[in-house]
Amino acid sequence: MHHMPQGRVHCSPFNLPEINPDRLKTAKALVEKAVQLRRVFSVQGPYPVIRAALRARGWVERRLPCPAPKQAGHCHGDEKEDGDDSNDDNDRGVEGMYDLMSRLVRNETTYFYWTTRRDEIDCRSLRKDQMTNHYAKSGTFTTKVGLCVNLRNLQWFDATNPDTFFPRCYRLGADDEKHAFIEDFRRTACTSLLQHIVERSDGEGREQVEAEEEKVEENLSQSEGPRKRRATRLVSPRMIDRALHVCQEFLNSLDHSDIDVTMETPPSLTEQQWAKFMHDYYLVVHEGVGIEGSGVYVERCQAMLNRLQVCPQLETDGLHNIWIIKPGAKSRGRGIMCMNRLEEILSLVDSDPSLIKDSKWVVQKYLERPLLVYATKFDLRQWFLVTDWNPLTVWFYRECYLRFSTQPYSTQTLDSSVHLCNNSIQKHFQPSQWRHPEVPKDNMWSCSQFRAFLRAQGQGASWGALVVPGMQRAVVHALQTAQDLVEGRRGSFELYGADFMLGRDLRPWLLEINASPTMAPSTAVTARLCPAVQLDTLKVVLDRRADPGAYTGGFQLIYKQATVEVPQYMGVNLLVEGAPLRRPRLPPHRIPVIPDPPLTTHIHTRTNQSAPEAEDKPSSHRPSPCRRPSGKENQSGLGGNRFPKRDEEDGALGCQHTSPTLRLSRRMATERLLALHSEPQKRVRCLGMSLSSNWPLHLVPRTLSHSLSTHCGILGCDTHPSHPNPHPRPAPGSRTARPFLPQSSLGPPRKAPTRSLPTLYGPIPALEVFGLRPSPLTEPLSGPCPTLASDPGLRIHQFLPHFHRQAMATYKGDCTSGGPKSS
């Protein structure tokens, strides 16, 4: 180990620049102001425009560590572009100042993040005042699989059919979608065959197809060698009948006419028949083999195609049944292939088990008949900005650019140089010598150049009336389906790039949506547009945040959803709300008479009479509600009232006369319960009542003992308490018939009848008896209320609630006019 001599300072092998005190003072002042205003940013990736724009606004950069060692000068994305280096000294001085300020804020909080990848920053750990240019879980619509799956749920957000702006797409890793793709491929082969027959019968169509095929053969003759001569044999016309039958079944399914078809119903074509059909289809469409007697099917084929116009993608499907296979989680056109044979597509997917497991392979119907510019295919890159997800806020950029392929368009070849317009792919190919000279050599157009082309074609108004509105609707629909899946955040925003193709009718078709679209100035068009869209993005997310009326550049607000209030979670709280149903009051003449089980009331007025025969009898010997007990029953004590003469009268009258106790008890049994609360013991004794051991739950009159039939719990009584004949009191130690006892002592509980009687006097509470027990006393009642012992009617009158007195008076009046008066 080497020791440094004393007096020397250890120096770094790199020479550190001298720090000018004035520059340091200026840097500290700028940093202090930026920290106070929370203007510290971090950029990761090649975004020099974002850095320059933020520094011009007074922001200070806090450098992020390099994710991986790269070439010098590429750590922070400051790629030096070609140009003059006359101001290198001045640039180094400015960069030195920025480096000094960056070191001063290395321990400060970053308030603005701009990164290339969304996983560089954890959005959940950010504070509310921190901003970032990505949303969490935005891969639900920026990946091929996510867009394919989520657009199927558009019916829950809008009435638009996704097939009108998004080509049919399937995940080949899912078994159900794989079977759906096979059915779609075969059905598309049938419709393509019908179009092939109709177009071949047309002279102009035949000449156009033959000229196109000859041109492609000439272009590819040098690289592919001489093509095989077409076979001269003809295939059977039976394949046309099968194609018409399959198309008819598809129309029936659209009209729900196949509702009676079950899983056990055999398919219209077996697998062997499908294999034969597809083999003949490849010969006819791909190899040019003719069909014997196809001319007689032209009208039927044309009629079926007219009926199939309900399918929005019929015009773009074409003749060759080409599908584009896209591996998931890849960008810039990597791994994308075009195929037109079913067995080749399935074998490609089955060759990679990992992709099958993760369902990453996506197959999408290729637009075989797009709009061409000078016979060359192109697509559009359109930017849009999302600044909020609740409410969903979408900004649409007013400019876009076109990307051309290097080769003339043809469906006779499936080469990527013809069908893929990504600049990352086309830059590896040289433009074809047969391509139209008006197509730019750098393979890009601005939207203004394209609008000029449309005006030359007589369709200048279609851009603003059809193309732009269609792209805006497609973008909004794609975002609506992913709104519940993306983790929205008020301090975040994200710039996306959507790729579109145009049909021959100028209808836009959404292909995919890209997160972190490239901002590389690869051509003159992107060198002008990419910096502009970055600057305008900062105008929307920064300037407009401070000033709502600030200028937003080329961004236009096209959609802002109504705010959706998210209810606060209060746990599981199920509540059933409703209004009670009130029982209607019947008029007096419509009151039904429903017999109730009897309630026998024993009123003791004599003290020296025994009742040895007062024993419990079986329930079968109890009197019916409307029948007076016979003499034997009276002698056994079950009748509760021994009036033979009165019994005969009541039997003859058919129970027309009832006692006030019976009337009141019946009415009390149908009304709300009225709980008898305990009163002071002094008042209880004054009423001639005794308290049981578990007072105040049992409140029992001393001289009253009630017996109730065990098969019900509804009060009912036919006895007349005011009859002059006295009722014998039971002897000491004897039991009364069925006393009011707790349910446990009466045996197993029995269900009480639910019938009820309406009342003539309005709602009157019923009497709820908590507990009654037989009185063991045999002596005459004595106490402060001797009248209770001499007048049973008075005892009942005072025992019942106060609001029954009017009923008693009414009954006495009735007895005075029509029967013996109660004393």
Side-chain angles (χ1 to χ4, degrees):
M1 181 176 180
H2 299 282
H3 297 277
M4 297 296 298
Q6 294 183 358
R8 284 193 173 185
V9 179
H10 177 68
C11 298
S12 173
F14 302 99
N15 294 327
L16 296 177
E18 296 182 1
I19 300 179
N20 190 338
D22 295 337
R23 176 179 294 184
L24 179 60
K25 183 177 180 181
T26 304
K28 287 184 177 180
L30 295 175
V31 167
E32 182 179 357
K33 183 179 180 180
V35 172
Q36 184 178 3
L37 297 177
R38 299 181 179 181
R39 293 184 177 179
V40 180
F41 75 95
S42 296
V43 175
Q44 191 171 49
Y47 298 102
V49 177
I50 297 296
R51 284 191 174 89
L54 291 175
R55 289 169 179 174
R57 286 173 168 82
W59 289 69
V60 178
E61 182 180 7
R62 176 177 173 264
R63 299 284 177 87
L64 295 177
C66 297
K70 294 183 180 181
Q71 296 180 0
H74 288 246
C75 179
H76 302 288
D78 294 328
E79 299 182 359
K80 217 170 191 180
E81 302 179 15
D82 296 337
D84 58 42
D85 297 333
S86 57
N87 296 327
D88 284 349
D89 296 338
N90 189 20
D91 294 341
R92 281 195 295 267
V94 174
E95 288 297 329
M97 184 69 173
Y98 291 144
D99 292 340
L100 177 60
M101 296 170 64
S102 179
R103 288 197 297 268
L104 293 177
V105 297
R106 63 184 180 274
N107 296 325
E108 299 293 338
T109 302
T110 301
Y111 294 97
F112 186 93
Y113 287 97
W114 187 293
T115 63
T116 304
R117 300 173 56 88
R118 71 173 63 95
D119 54 2
E120 297 290 342
I121 303 298
D122 185 8
C123 297
R124 300 171 183 171
S125 63
L126 297 179
R127 301 183 335 199
K128 293 183 178 180
D129 54 353
Q130 292 178 296
M131 302 178 64
T132 181
N133 67 324
H134 291 290
Y135 288 103
K137 296 184 179 181
S138 62
T140 54
F141 66 96
T142 58
T143 60
K144 301 174 181 63
V145 175
L147 188 64
C148 171
V149 173
N150 288 321
L151 278 179
R152 299 173 187 171
N153 301 324
L154 182 60
Q155 58 180 339
W156 305 108
F157 303 91
D158 195 90
T160 304
N161 184 4
D163 289 343
T164 59
F165 65 90
F166 186 70
R168 305 187 301 277
C169 189
Y170 301 94
R171 293 179 303 162
L172 294 182
D175 292 337
D176 54 343
E177 297 191 28
K178 181 179 179 179
H179 293 305
F181 161 69
I182 295 175
E183 294 180 0
D184 195 343
F185 189 94
R186 292 172 174 175
R187 184 174 61 251
T188 306
C190 295
T191 58
S192 300
L193 178 63
L194 301 184
Q195 295 187 64
H196 176 81
I197 295 173
V198 172
E199 293 181 3
R200 283 284 181 176
S201 64
D202 187 6
E204 296 180 0
R206 186 189 308 113
E207 293 177 359
Q208 182 179 0
V209 172
E210 291 178 354
E212 181 182 355
E213 292 177 354
E214 291 177 0
K215 186 176 181 179
V216 173
E217 289 179 4
E218 181 182 357
N219 296 339
L220 301 178
S221 59
Q222 298 179 357
S223 59
E224 297 182 359
R227 293 172 60 90
K228 295 181 181 180
R229 300 192 57 171
R230 298 174 184 172
T232 57
R233 68 183 182 88
L234 301 177
V235 298
S236 172
R238 184 173 179 81
M239 65 179 305
I240 303 179
D241 293 326
R242 292 178 175 176
L244 291 172
H245 180 68
V246 171
C247 293
Q248 181 60 48
E249 285 189 342
F250 175 67
L251 291 176
N252 294 339
S253 65
L254 295 180
D255 296 336
H256 304 287
S257 302
D258 59 342
I259 191 172
D260 296 330
V261 177
T262 61
M263 298 297 296
E264 291 77 13
T265 304
S268 57
L269 296 180
T270 63
E271 290 298 325
Q272 293 78 9
Q273 291 174 339
W274 271 119
K276 174 62 176 175
F277 176 84
M278 296 304 300
H279 177 267
D280 294 343
Y281 167 76
Y282 295 145
L283 292 177
V284 172
V285 176
H286 297 167
E287 303 296 334
V289 177
I291 303 177
E292 182 179 359
S294 61
V296 298
Y297 290 92
V298 174
E299 293 184 0
R300 292 179 58 188
C301 294
Q302 183 63 58
M304 180 59 68
L305 291 175
N306 294 337
R307 297 177 58 190
L308 288 172
Q309 291 298 324
V310 296
C311 304
Q313 300 183 18
L314 181 64
E315 294 297 330
T316 61
D317 283 345
L319 303 179
H320 295 80
N321 203 5
I322 302 176
W323 293 73
I324 184 168
I325 296 89
K326 305 177 180 180
K330 289 187 178 182
S331 60
R332 299 191 298 275
R334 293 173 296 177
I336 297 179
M337 293 172 288
C338 293
M339 295 184 177
N340 56 7
R341 293 181 179 268
L342 179 61
E343 58 276 7
E344 294 179 0
I345 297 175
L346 298 180
S347 62
L348 174 65
V349 178
D350 296 339
S351 62
D352 194 341
S354 62
L355 295 179
I356 297 176
K357 180 180 179 181
D358 300 335
S359 300
K360 290 183 177 181
W361 277 107
V362 171
V363 59
Q364 190 174 35
K365 185 62 185 72
Y366 184 74
L367 302 180
E368 298 185 23
R369 293 179 173 176
L371 179 66
L372 303 178
V373 174
Y374 301 120
T376 306
K377 182 187 174 182
F378 69 94
D379 65 5
L380 293 90
R381 167 59 61 89
Q382 177 64 57
W383 292 297
F384 66 93
L385 177 68
V386 177
T387 56
D388 202 348
W389 284 93
N390 185 21
L392 180 60
T393 308
V394 186
W395 299 78
F396 196 81
Y397 204 63
R398 65 184 178 186
E399 292 195 57
C400 62
Y401 62 92
L402 280 67
R403 301 176 298 186
F404 292 93
S405 62
T406 57
Q407 309 296 325
Y409 179 74
S410 175
T411 55
Q412 299 297 324
T413 178
L414 302 179
D415 193 80
S416 300
S417 61
V418 177
H419 301 285
L420 301 182
C421 300
N422 301 65
N423 186 62
S424 58
I425 293 178
Q426 294 296 332
K427 67 182 181 180
H428 300 292
F429 300 98
Q430 292 295 328
S432 174
Q433 58 179 346
W434 293 282
R435 197 176 67 167
H436 198 280
E438 294 294 333
V439 180
K441 294 182 179 180
D442 56 2
N443 302 324
M444 281 194 185
W445 259 8
S446 64
C447 63
S448 58
Q449 293 174 296
F450 180 64
R451 289 197 300 267
F453 170 80
L454 293 178
R455 286 193 297 267
Q457 300 293 326
Q459 296 178 326
S462 300
W463 175 259
L466 186 61
V467 178
V468 173
M471 292 191 296
Q472 293 177 353
R473 287 192 297 267
V475 166
V476 172
H477 292 332
L479 298 178
Q480 285 176 332
T481 59
Q483 185 176 6
D484 296 337
L485 304 176
V486 179
E487 293 184 0
R489 184 177 174 274
R490 288 299 179 93
S492 298
F493 64 93
E494 191 158 7
L495 180 67
Y496 302 98
D499 294 339
F500 289 91
M501 283 183 61
L502 300 182
R504 293 180 180 179
D505 56 354
L506 292 179
R507 180 193 303 178
W509 293 90
L510 177 63
L511 302 181
E512 61 182 4
I513 297 177
N514 301 276
S516 299
T518 178
M519 293 295 168
S522 56
T523 64
V525 175
T526 55
R528 179 180 62 88
L529 293 180
C530 291
V533 71
Q534 296 178 69
L535 294 177
D536 293 342
T537 301
L538 295 180
K539 292 177 182 177
V540 174
V541 301
L542 292 181
D543 299 349
R544 191 176 179 273
R545 191 176 188 182
D547 180 14
Y551 177 62
T552 57
F555 279 106
Q556 175 188 2
L557 180 64
I558 63 169
Y559 185 79
K560 186 171 184 179
Q561 191 182 46
T563 305
V564 180
E565 296 294 338
V566 180
Q568 184 178 4
Y569 178 73
M570 300 299 294
V572 178
N573 185 15
L574 302 179
L575 177 64
V576 178
E577 296 182 355
L581 298 177
R582 297 185 178 181
R583 182 174 61 249
R585 297 182 180 180
L586 299 177
H589 63 278
R590 294 188 60 185
I591 300 177
V593 178
I594 302 176
D596 294 321
L599 171 67
T600 60
T601 305
H602 303 272
I603 304 176
H604 308 286
T605 57
R606 301 168 62 180
T607 60
N608 53 0
Q609 183 179 354
S610 62
E613 65 274 17
E615 300 292 338
D616 292 339
K617 298 294 181 180
S619 60
S620 61
H621 296 286
R622 293 171 188 163
S624 62
C626 292
R627 182 178 62 85
R628 288 298 177 187
S630 62
K632 283 186 178 182
E633 292 172 342
N634 285 333
Q635 293 177 4
S636 63
L638 293 177
N641 192 2
R642 300 182 182 181
F643 304 118
K645 185 176 180 180
R646 186 60 177 269
D647 293 345
E648 296 175 359
E649 296 176 357
D650 291 343
L653 295 176
C655 299
Q656 294 181 1
H657 299 286
T658 56
S659 65
T661 306
L662 173 60
R663 294 180 180 179
L664 296 177
S665 62
R666 285 181 177 178
R667 185 165 70 249
M668 291 160 57
T670 61
E671 303 298 334
R672 295 179 301 174
L673 297 180
L674 175 65
L676 292 180
H677 299 283
S678 61
E679 298 186 17
Q681 189 174 2
K682 184 181 297 184
R683 184 174 179 182
V684 173
R685 291 177 179 176
C686 180
L687 292 176
M689 301 179 182
S690 63
L691 299 177
S692 59
S693 59
N694 55 346
W695 181 84
L697 294 179
H698 296 270
L699 187 59
V700 187
R702 284 188 178 185
T703 59
L704 294 180
S705 62
H706 299 269
S707 64
L708 181 66
S709 300
T710 59
H711 65 276
C712 69
I714 295 183
L715 298 176
C717 180
D718 285 342
T719 59
H720 201 293
S722 60
H723 198 278
N725 293 336
H727 184 73
R729 185 178 56 183
S734 64
R735 294 181 299 170
T736 60
R738 289 297 175 189
F740 238 123
L741 296 178
Q743 186 67 28
S744 60
S745 63
L746 293 176
R750 302 185 181 183
K751 183 178 180 181
T754 59
R755 58 191 177 184
S756 60
L757 291 176
T759 175
L760 297 178
Y761 303 98
I764 301 176
L767 179 65
E768 180 182 5
V769 181
F770 290 104
L772 296 177
R773 58 183 176 84
S775 175
L777 301 178
T778 58
E779 296 79 15
L781 178 66
S782 62
C785 299
T787 57
L788 293 177
S790 60
D791 192 350
L794 182 59
R795 285 198 300 263
I796 296 176
H797 178 69
Q798 293 186 0
F799 173 70
L800 296 175
H802 176 70
F803 45 76
H804 292 299
R805 295 180 182 178
Q806 184 179 0
M808 293 288 295
T810 304
Y811 173 77
K812 290 180 180 180
D814 296 339
C815 293
T816 303
S817 59
K821 185 176 181 180
S822 177
S823 57

